[in-house]
Amino acid sequence: MSDRVGCINPRCRRTSKADGSGEMICGKCFRALPTDMRRRDRQCRRRLNSLKRKIERLLAKSDGRADISRLDRLHDAALRLFYRSWDRMRAYYQTPDKPAGLDTFLEEVGL
């Protein structure tokens, strides 16, 4: 088992310390993503962190006896949205664009 994790971009050689998640995206590749993907990722992360803080606050206030089923459902839904966003980012880098070369040009011309 390696103590380093590579970027999700297969053409990027950057790594970071393994934190248990098994995947990461480096800052350079994150900034290279389209703006809508970056915004969606940040929105999902903020929503998850907010719900996590609310759950912790509710549990601390009620000494662990609180009914957090609604917040748990919201957290699960936010987690699904985050994973969908992550899958979109991974797919963006995993499916390379067709290289612009002679074959592509001939295909566009119809030969």
Side-chain angles (χ1 to χ4, degrees), residues 38-104:
R38 291 193 319 257
R39 282 185 188 147
R40 184 64 175 166
D41 181 68
R42 288 186 183 123
Q43 180 185 33
C44 290
R45 287 178 192 271
R46 280 193 305 267
R47 187 175 293 151
L48 277 172
N49 289 335
S50 172
L51 286 169
K52 183 179 173 184
R53 283 192 307 268
K54 285 179 185 180
I55 289 171
E56 289 172 354
R57 201 174 317 131
L58 184 62
L59 288 175
K61 189 187 319 182
S62 66
D63 297 327
R65 295 184 307 256
D67 180 29
I68 59 168
S69 61
R70 180 173 178 267
L71 285 176
D72 269 343
R73 286 193 308 269
L74 287 172
H75 184 268
D76 291 343
L79 199 57
R80 283 191 302 272
L81 289 174
F82 171 74
Y83 285 137
R84 191 180 316 160
S85 169
W86 186 258
D87 289 341
R88 265 184 76 203
M89 289 190 298
R90 189 183 315 117
Y92 179 81
Y93 281 118
Q94 298 300 322
T95 54
D97 296 333
K98 195 169 192 176
L102 184 59
D103 294 334
T104 307

Side-chain angles (χ1 to χ4, degrees), residues 12-31:
C12 178
R13 309 269 307 163
R14 290 181 177 81
T15 62
S16 73
K17 185 177 175 184
D19 62 354
S21 64
E23 290 184 319
M24 72 92 170
I25 185 167
C26 68
K28 185 176 180 181
C29 292
F30 185 77
R31 287 186 297 275

